[in-house]
Amino acid sequence: MDSTNYRPRIAIVYTSVTGNTEELSRIIGSCFSDEVNVSLFRIAEFPLSWLCSYDAVMVGTYTWGNGNVPTEMHSLYSALETAARKELITAAFGTGDSFYPDYCGAVDRFRDMLHVRTDLAVTLKVELMPQERDWDRCRKLAELILARLKINAQ
Ligand SMILES: Cc1cc2nc3c(=O)[nH]c(=O)nc-3n(C[C@H](O)[C@H](O)[C@H](O)COP(=O)(O)O)c2cc1C
């Protein structure tokens, strides 16, 4: 970033029905230091017009049906697909159940699109409710976003 006083803005936008992805989103949010300005939004609280206000957008989703993106995330998917912001740093993360053949399929759907349309930095899949062992993976994810923002992790 150009200015030393500038704190990059990161949005974590998630959806969650039973709380697993919400918990994962909160853990990820807590892995960032004050060097960045991190805001956590449920998808229903995030106007899509705000996409252009962030340096990085991290998308958190569970998977539904047979590897599907949940309905409430479709408009965010389309907005990111058409935003024409190749410089936007992104991450796709989520929770799923490996009982299903398309484990965390919604994360894969976002990953494939974000890789083409944005500057995708990292993806993360977590089995159901995040466990102790997942904290390191969340910290790593945050480090990769910070590296892309050209901020050294502490
Ligand atoms: C009807 C139904 C379909 C599901 N389909 C998948 C699936 O295809 N792939 C997967 O990884 N998980 C699947 N899941 C599991 C959820 O994605 C998983 O429980 C997730 O952690 C829920 O997240 P949440 O607690 O944030 O709502 C399914 C769950 C239900 C109830």
Side-chain angles (χ1 to χ4, degrees):
M1 293 291 132
D2 292 341
S3 165
T4 49
N5 293 324
Y6 181 73
R7 288 169 70 215
R9 288 163 55 85
I10 300 174
I12 299 175
V13 186
Y14 71 91
T15 185
S16 183
V17 174
T18 61
N20 298 341
T21 315
E22 179 171 20
E23 176 66 10
L24 180 60
S25 302
R26 291 189 187 287
I27 293 170
I28 289 171
S30 73
C31 290
F32 289 96
S33 70
D34 286 348
E35 283 174 292
V36 287
N37 188 340
V38 180
S39 304
L40 200 64
F41 303 95
R42 254 184 197 278
I43 182 65
E45 301 163 348
F46 186 78
L48 296 174
S49 60
W50 289 5
L51 277 177
C52 57
S53 314
Y54 289 90
D55 303 291
V57 174
M58 306 175 69
V59 178
T61 183
Y62 65 92
T63 295
W64 200 239
N66 190 12
N68 296 334
V69 172
T71 313
E72 67 274 21
M73 294 301 264
H74 287 184
S75 54
L76 176 65
Y77 184 101
S78 299
L80 285 163
E81 194 175 28
T82 54
R85 283 196 64 199
K86 188 62 187 162
E87 81 289 355
L88 179 67
I89 296 164
T90 56
F93 67 90
T95 66
D97 185 343
S98 56
F99 167 82
Y100 290 90
D102 198 353
Y103 173 58
C104 287
V107 175
D108 292 338
R109 306 289 100 75
F110 268 100
R111 176 202 62 202
D112 292 347
M113 179 274 291
L114 293 171
H115 174 66
V116 174
R117 304 289 181 167
T118 69
D119 182 8
L120 178 69
V122 56
T123 64
L124 176 66
K125 298 177 179 181
V126 166
E127 176 85 19
L128 297 170
M129 182 57 81
Q131 305 294 313
E132 194 69 35
R133 62 175 179 270
D134 296 311
W135 275 80
D136 269 350
R137 303 172 71 214
C138 291
R139 279 190 279 268
K140 188 74 195 162
L141 174 143
E143 278 172 24
L144 289 168
I145 291 286
L146 292 174
R148 211 52 83 91
L149 287 163
K150 312 236 183 322
I151 295 173
N152 293 323
Q154 292 178 335

